[in-house]
């Protein structure tokens, strides 16, 4: 009988640990419409022998009397829902951030200041996972080998791979597309012209892989409305080593 129950527990744990089925490890979801049932033997009924009582016979050591081991818990307690470790449980590693297929982006960085961004992986299982990583120049990784925290039973833990970049001069790029600059205004005490006004600004994105100067020719802007500037509002944006602004 003991072997039968043990194998049923193992099979149930394998069902719970299937990738993409995290709800099976959630105390609020795994019991379905039975989650809030009450009464003897129900989901919310305090469990023997942990609460210091048994259905037949005498309490079982160490859950006796005023022992510190006595604990009132029901079937929704995390220690009950989360399965113990079996060697047949799955081990999965999932990329959490950035989303799978997206690059690690370095946005809003300061020129020549070493900056790190992390790739976040989620490890689900009963064992540690060691990940080795390498990147091509000019990027580096802070550690070529990273090991996830030791899990406490079957659980999910996060592992971070830190990528280091030393940005070049303003306006240059090693790879990717320059984005995020349109949010600079709030950080300098100004107001973004396009807030709540569709089409009120011109956004120009220049992508380059070297520090070679980029020259824009024959660019024309049509002014459709003129208004007096708001007194005291400073609007400025760094462009290479030049600053432009109106006050």
């Amino acid at each position: 009988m003991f072997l039968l129950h043990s194998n049923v527990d193992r099979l149930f744990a394998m069902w719970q640990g299937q990738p993409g089925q995290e709800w099976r490890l959630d105390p609020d979801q795994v019991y379905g419409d039975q989650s809030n049932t009450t009464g003897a033997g129900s989901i919310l009924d305090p469990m023997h022998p942990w609460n210091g009582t048994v259905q037949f016979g005498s309490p079982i050591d160490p859950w006796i009397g005023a022992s510190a081991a006595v604990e009132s818990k029901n079937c929704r307690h995390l220690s009950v829902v989360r399965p113990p470790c079996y060697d047949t449980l799955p081990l999965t590693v999932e990329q959490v951030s950035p989303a799978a297929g997206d690059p690690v982006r370095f946005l809003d960085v300061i020129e020549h200041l070493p900056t790190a961004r992390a790739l976040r992986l989620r490890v689900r299982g009963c064992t540690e996972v060691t990940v080795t990583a390498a990147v091509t120049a000019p990027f580096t990784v802070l550690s070529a080998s990273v090991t996830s925290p030791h899990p406490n039973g079957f659980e999910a833990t996060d592992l971070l791979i830190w990528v280091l970049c030393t940005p070049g001069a303003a306006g240059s790029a090693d790879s990717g597309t320059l984005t995020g600059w349109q949010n600079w205004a709030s950080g300098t005490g100004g107001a973004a012209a396009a807030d709540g006004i569709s089409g009120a600004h011109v956004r120009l994105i220049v992508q380059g892989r070297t520090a070679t100067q980029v020259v824009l020719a024959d660019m024309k802007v049509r002014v459709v409305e003129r208004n007096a500037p708001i007194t005291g509002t400073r609007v400025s944006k760094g462009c290479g080593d030049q600053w432009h602004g109106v006050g």
Side-chain angles (χ1 to χ4, degrees):
M1 183 63 68
F2 173 78
L3 293 178
L4 173 62
H5 279 277
S6 296
N7 196 42
V8 170
D9 289 343
R10 183 184 66 86
L11 294 174
F12 188 76
M14 292 172 62
W15 174 79
Q16 283 185 284
Q18 288 302 305
Q21 304 295 333
E22 286 75 13
W23 66 271
R24 297 174 181 175
L25 296 166
D26 185 346
D28 296 329
Q29 299 186 65
V30 68
Y31 299 112
D33 59 5
Q34 301 297 305
S35 292
N36 296 312
T37 55
T38 59
S42 67
I43 298 299
L44 297 182
D45 187 29
M47 299 180 70
H48 311 297
W50 294 282
N51 67 346
T53 67
V54 291
Q55 188 174 4
F56 303 103
S58 301
I60 301 173
D61 188 52
W63 304 286
I64 298 177
S67 170
V70 174
E71 180 181 8
S72 180
K73 60 182 178 181
N74 55 43
C75 292
R76 290 176 59 172
H77 194 276
L78 187 59
S79 66
V80 177
V81 174
R82 187 171 62 193
C85 285
Y86 298 96
D87 57 7
T88 54
L89 293 186
L91 175 65
T92 60
V93 179
E94 174 190 10
Q95 182 174 327
V96 177
S97 177
D102 289 345
V104 177
R105 293 186 172 91
F106 290 78
L107 307 178
D108 301 320
V109 296
I110 300 174
E111 58 182 348
H112 309 304
L113 179 67
T115 305
R117 296 289 187 267
L119 172 71
R120 182 183 297 271
L121 304 176
R122 183 150 297 156
V123 179
R124 295 176 70 250
C126 287
T127 185
E128 300 172 350
V129 169
T130 298
V131 175
T132 57
V135 293
T136 57
F139 301 96
T140 59
V141 289
L142 295 186
S143 178
S145 178
V146 183
T147 301
S148 63
H150 184 75
N152 181 22
F154 186 88
E155 65 177 359
T157 57
D158 283 0
L159 181 153
L160 300 178
I161 299 174
W162 289 96
V163 181
L164 181 66
C165 173
T166 301
S172 65
D174 291 309
S175 64
T177 301
L178 178 63
T179 59
W181 62 265
Q182 63 272 19
N183 297 322
W184 65 270
S186 59
T188 57
D195 284 353
I197 308 175
S198 177
H201 70 287
V202 175
R203 179 182 304 175
L204 180 65
I205 299 177
V206 179
Q207 177 179 349
R209 295 183 179 275
T210 69
T212 303
Q213 182 180 9
V214 177
V215 178
L216 302 178
D218 298 326
M219 180 176 177
K220 299 179 181 179
V221 177
R222 181 186 177 190
V223 179
V224 296
E225 183 178 353
R226 296 180 184 276
N227 292 288
I230 301 174
T231 303
T233 300
R234 180 170 63 92
V235 181
S236 58
K237 169 60 182 173
C239 180
D241 58 355
Q242 302 294 320
W243 281 87
H244 303 276
V246 295

